[in-house]
Amino acid sequence: PQLIARCTIGKPSGELGEVSAVDAIAAAADASGILLAFVHRSATLGPIEVDVSLDGFSARSPAQVITLSGSTVHARNTLESPENVAPRVSTLAFSGAELRVTLAPISQTLVKLERA
């Protein structure tokens, strides 16, 4: 993939030292679409909504969203609960060139946008 944009969202959090709460990148997957990747590092800020502008890119709705997160910062898989921390696939409907992505605390989120 070709890197299109990278940004940092939010002020450094006290729990994280000098590290921002959210990092994001956008990359051209190939001729068929764009990938947006987000890392939400904070356990105390709660869900964070990120508005994304798709200026110059016509995307087909809905977007596919893959989120990896746990119920707490210490969440882990065990023999009894092997799916405790596992990728969750969902969709995100949007219209026009704007979409809003909600990031769960302590998560990695990938949004796949297909060219219309």
Side-chain angles (χ1 to χ4, degrees):
Q2 176 188 2
L3 182 65
I4 297 172
R6 178 181 171 87
C7 69
T8 300
I9 302 167
K11 296 179 181 178
S13 168
E15 72 182 296
L16 303 172
E18 293 299 315
V19 178
S20 64
V22 175
D23 276 332
I25 61 169
D30 52 34
S32 67
I34 292 177
L35 300 174
L36 307 174
F38 302 91
V39 177
H40 180 345
R41 294 183 186 90
S42 176
T44 60
L45 293 178
I48 293 178
E49 291 186 341
V50 178
D51 292 324
V52 177
S53 176
L54 302 174
D55 292 340
F57 181 79
S58 180
R60 184 178 7 199
S61 180
Q64 182 184 39
V65 180
I66 303 170
T67 302
L68 181 65
S69 67
S71 58
T72 72
V73 68
H74 300 291
R76 66 188 193 289
N77 293 336
T78 64
L79 290 175
E80 296 79 26
S81 299
E83 297 291 317
N84 202 24
V85 179
R88 308 279 188 243
V89 179
S90 61
T91 57
L92 176 63
F94 63 94
S95 62
E98 305 288 327
L99 64 118
R100 177 169 286 173
V101 181
T102 301
L103 307 176
I106 308 296
S107 68
Q108 296 179 2
T109 303
L110 179 68
V111 180
K112 296 180 178 182
L113 295 162
E114 291 185 22
R115 188 175 302 278

